[in-house]
Amino acid sequence: MGVSTSSPEKGAEKDGIAVVTVDFPPVNALPVEGWFALADAVRAAGRDPQVRCVVVAAEGRGFNAGVDIKEIQRDGHSALIGANRACAEAFGAVYECEVPVVAAVHGFCLGGGIGLVGNADAIVASDDATFGLPELDRGALGAATHLARLVPQHLMRALYYTSRTATAAELHAHGSVWQVVPRAELRAAALELAHEIAAKDGRLLRLAKAAINGIDPVDVRRSYRFEQGFTFEAGLSGVADQVRDNFGKEKEGV
C-alpha cells in the first residue's frame, strides 16, 4: 500500500524508464500524505539522470478516485487545505517532471485522477477506463483546468456540470488518449510507448519537455490554484459539507 517506484524489468535502468505505482485500497482515493508521496516519487524519478521516461500506473480497481473524502469529513478545513496543496503538488510534479510522463489508466479515473492524466504527456488506457469529474456531487470544485486538456471546451463544461464520465474510446476519438487496449495488455502497451520515448537522447528529451511546457497556452498550476479558491469558499460556506454528507445516501435510499 502506498506509492512505489520500480523498473519494469531487470536491467531497465539502462532503458531509462521508471514506473511509479499508486496503491491505496480499496479505490485509490488518496489521503493528503498519498498525494505528497506521489509528487515526491515523480519528481525524484524525473531528476534521475538515468531516467528518460516515467510511467504513472496504479494497482486495484481503478487508476484514481480522487481525494479521500472521509479524511476531509473527519479533519475538516485542515484536511481540505492539505488536500488542496497536496493535489497541486502532485499535478505539478507530473507536469513539471523533467522527462515525459505516460499515464497508464484502467478502470475509473475521477477527480484528482483527471488532474494527473490531464498533466501527463501521453495517456494509454484500458478499454474499461472512464474519465470524469464528479466534483459537484462531492462538495468540491477543481480540475476543470485538466479536463479541458482532454476534451473540447463545451464537452468539458457539460461533463463538469453533470458529473458524467467519458470512455477511453471517446477520449481516443478526441486525440487525448494515445492508445486503448484490453486491460490485460495495459502495462505492456504503456511500457512500449515509454520505451519508444526513452530511446531518444535523454538530454534532448529534457529540453523538449521544457520547451513544450513553455509554449502551453494555459499556466496549468496557476489555473488550478484559481479553481481551488472556489473549493475552499464552498468549504467555508458549509455547502460542501452538506453535499458530502449526502453523497451516496440517495443510492442507499436514505
Side-chain angles (χ1 to χ4, degrees):
M1 175 175 168
V3 178
S4 60
T5 303
S6 63
S7 300
E9 59 189 11
K10 185 176 181 180
E13 293 85 356
K14 295 181 180 180
D15 295 331
I17 299 170
V19 180
V20 176
T21 303
V22 177
D23 185 13
F24 283 86
V27 294
N28 282 325
L30 274 59
V32 170
E33 64 177 18
W35 290 108
F36 278 123
L38 176 56
D40 290 344
V42 172
R43 290 191 188 281
R47 285 194 300 266
D48 186 340
Q50 300 302 314
V51 172
R52 296 187 294 280
C53 187
V54 174
V55 175
V56 176
E59 297 289 347
R61 292 161 52 186
F63 178 77
N64 191 283
V67 303
D68 185 345
I69 293 178
K70 293 181 179 178
E71 183 179 39
I72 294 176
Q73 290 175 315
R74 183 183 67 244
D75 298 335
H77 289 159
S78 63
L80 178 57
I81 293 172
N84 275 359
R85 292 176 176 172
C87 285
E89 279 305 301
F91 302 169
V94 172
Y95 184 78
E96 296 158 5
C97 184
E98 296 177 32
V99 298
V101 176
V102 175
V105 182
H106 72 281
F108 43 80
C109 179
L110 305 172
I114 295 295
L116 296 174
V117 303
N119 272 354
D121 294 278
I123 304 167
V124 177
S126 61
D127 52 15
D128 67 343
T130 56
F131 302 76
L133 290 177
E135 312 305 275
L136 294 184
D137 289 340
R138 299 181 181 179
L141 299 167
T145 292
H146 311 95
L147 184 59
R149 295 165 69 82
L150 302 176
V151 298
Q153 272 286 329
H154 282 81
L155 179 54
M156 177 274 287
R157 289 170 179 259
L159 290 173
Y160 196 94
Y161 297 146
T162 62
S163 297
R164 291 193 187 190
T165 59
T167 66
E170 289 170 330
L171 293 195
H172 183 262
H174 288 297
S176 51
V177 166
W178 171 262
Q179 186 179 14
V180 180
V181 298
R183 185 159 176 170
E185 301 173 16
L186 176 61
R187 185 63 65 97
L191 288 175
E192 181 180 3
L193 176 58
H195 277 290
E196 186 174 349
I197 293 170
K200 308 299 183 184
D201 185 281
R203 296 162 297 180
L204 286 179
L205 277 175
R206 290 168 187 269
L207 289 173
K209 178 68 181 277
I212 291 174
N213 281 4
I215 62 171
D216 252 336
V218 175
D219 182 334
V220 292
R221 181 178 279 272
R222 181 177 179 180
S223 179
Y224 178 58
R225 291 296 278 170
F226 177 82
E227 289 187 75
Q228 287 186 321
F230 291 94
T231 300
F232 196 66
E233 183 176 326
L236 288 176
S237 70
V239 65
D241 289 333
Q242 293 173 15
V243 172
R244 276 192 287 268
D245 288 344
N246 289 325
F247 177 67
K249 289 185 178 180
E250 292 182 1
K251 295 180 180 180
E252 297 171 0
V254 177

